[in-house]
C-alpha cells in the first residue's frame, strides 16, 4: 500500500453471491496455493495463520469497539463524546445540536455539578430521569457503586431552581423558568411534622 492510500480501520468484504459459491475454482488460486500460503503485496508468498482468521465473539467485539472508539475520537463532531458512548448519549447529543434539547446543570450537595441533557419541552420527571441516566453511566464507567436507590434519593432531596421547589413531576421545566444552561440544586428535605 502506498503512502497516499490509507486503509480504513474496518474493511468489509463484499457479500458472497451464489455465483461465488458455485464457482470456487477461480478464487482458490488467487487466495492461496497448494501449500496454504497466499501471495503478499509484493508478490511474495506469505503463510496464513489460521488462528488469526478465527476470533471469539468477545475478541471480535473488542476489535470493533476499538475501531469505533478510534473513529469517534478522530471525528471533529464526535471527539468530545466519552469512550464507550451509548446510543442514548448520541441521540441526546444530536438533539442538543439541533436545538431540540437543553442542558441543565445540577449542583449536588457536595458541590459537584452534573450537566444533563433534557428535551426542550421536558418535565421535572424528565429531568429526574436524565439525572438518573447520567449518574448510572458515570458510576458504570468509574467502576464505582453499582446501585443507587433513586426512590430513597427523591424521598430525601428536593430539586430547587431560584428558590422554587420542583415538586410537581408533570410540570414542564419552562413553567419554572428553567432554560438552557440554568442551574438546579439538590437540597436535602427537612423533616415535616
Amino acid at each position: 500500500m502506498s503512502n497516499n492510500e490509507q486503509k480504513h480501520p474496518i474493511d468489509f468484504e463484499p457479500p458472497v453471491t451464489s455465483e461465488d459459491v458455485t464457482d470456487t475454482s477461480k478464487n482458490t488460486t488467487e487466495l492461496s496455493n497448494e501449500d496454504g500460503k497466499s501471495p503478499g503485496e509484493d508478490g511474495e508468498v506469505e503463510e496464513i495463520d489460521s488462528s488469526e482468521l478465527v476470533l471469539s465473539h468477545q475478541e471480535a467485539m473488542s476489535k470493533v469497539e476499538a475501531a469505533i472508539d478510534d473513529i469517534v475520537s478522530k471525528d471533529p463532531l464526535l471527539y468530545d463524546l466519552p469512550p464507550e458512548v451509548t446510543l442514548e448519549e448520541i441521540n441526546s447529543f444530536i438533539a442538543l445540536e439541533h436545538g431540540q434539547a437543553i442542558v441543565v446543570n445540577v449542583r449536588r450537595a457536595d458541590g459537584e455539578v452534573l450537566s444533563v441533557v433534557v428535551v426542550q419541552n421536558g418535565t421535572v420527571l424528565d429531568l429526574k430521569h436524565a439525572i438518573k441516566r447520567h449518574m448510572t453511566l458515570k458510576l458504570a464507567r468509574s467502576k464505582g457503586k453499582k446501585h443507587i436507590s433513586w426512590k430513597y434519593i427523591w424521598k430525601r432531596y428536593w430539586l430547587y431552581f431560584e428558590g422554587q421547589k420542583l415538586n410537581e413531576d408533570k410540570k414542564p421545566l419552562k413553567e419554572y423558568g428553567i432554560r438552557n444552561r440554568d442551574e438546579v440544586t439538590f437540597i436535602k428535605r427537612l423533616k415535616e411534622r
Side-chain angles (χ1 to χ4, degrees):
M1 187 177 338
S2 68
N3 289 342
N4 294 341
E5 296 176 16
Q6 288 186 344
K7 193 167 187 173
H8 196 275
I10 302 176
D11 284 333
F12 294 100
E13 294 292 323
V16 177
T17 63
S18 60
E19 294 171 4
D20 296 332
V21 173
T22 57
D23 188 14
T24 58
S25 61
K26 68 177 183 180
N27 292 331
T28 54
T29 55
E30 294 174 16
L31 296 176
S32 64
N33 60 19
E34 52 279 342
D35 297 337
K37 298 180 181 179
S38 66
E41 292 176 16
D42 54 359
E44 290 183 21
V45 176
E46 57 185 65
E47 196 166 322
I48 297 176
D49 185 7
S50 63
S51 64
E52 291 179 13
L53 299 177
V54 179
L55 297 174
S56 70
H57 176 74
Q58 189 173 14
E59 291 170 332
M61 288 303 296
S62 66
K63 284 187 181 242
V64 169
E65 286 173 1
I68 290 172
D69 287 344
D70 185 50
I71 292 168
V72 168
S73 68
K74 291 178 182 174
D75 188 283
L77 296 174
L78 303 175
Y79 74 93
D80 58 346
L81 291 175
E84 300 175 11
V85 65
T86 64
L87 179 61
E88 196 168 10
E89 287 175 302
I90 291 173
N91 288 338
S92 295
F93 183 72
I94 291 170
L96 194 58
E97 289 296 315
H98 288 285
Q100 299 167 347
I102 61 172
V103 174
V104 177
N105 296 315
V106 180
R107 181 171 296 277
R108 292 181 14 177
D110 62 2
E112 182 181 353
V113 177
L114 313 171
S115 294
V116 296
V117 178
V118 184
V119 293
Q120 260 312 336
N121 56 352
T123 62
V124 173
L125 187 60
D126 293 330
L127 176 61
K128 288 179 178 181
H129 287 304
I131 293 168
K132 178 181 176 182
R133 191 171 45 249
H134 181 87
M135 286 303 300
T136 303
L137 284 170
K138 183 177 177 181
L139 290 174
R141 289 181 178 140
S142 69
K143 310 289 189 243
K145 186 177 177 182
K146 296 292 181 192
H147 179 73
I148 293 177
S149 172
W150 290 100
K151 189 174 181 179
Y152 175 84
I153 295 290
W154 301 128
K155 277 186 177 181
R156 301 288 185 251
Y157 291 89
W158 286 111
L159 290 171
Y160 272 82
F161 175 71
E162 294 181 350
Q164 300 176 77
K165 195 184 320 179
L166 308 182
N167 57 356
E168 295 179 45
D169 282 348
K170 296 187 190 259
K171 191 171 181 179
L173 296 173
K174 285 183 180 179
E175 288 186 24
Y176 286 105
I178 298 173
R179 304 280 181 248
N180 194 25
R181 301 277 178 207
D182 280 344
E183 187 172 288
V184 174
T185 310
F186 261 114
I187 296 181
K188 191 164 182 120
R189 291 185 186 202
L190 297 175
K191 290 189 178 184
E192 298 174 1
R193 293 180 180 212

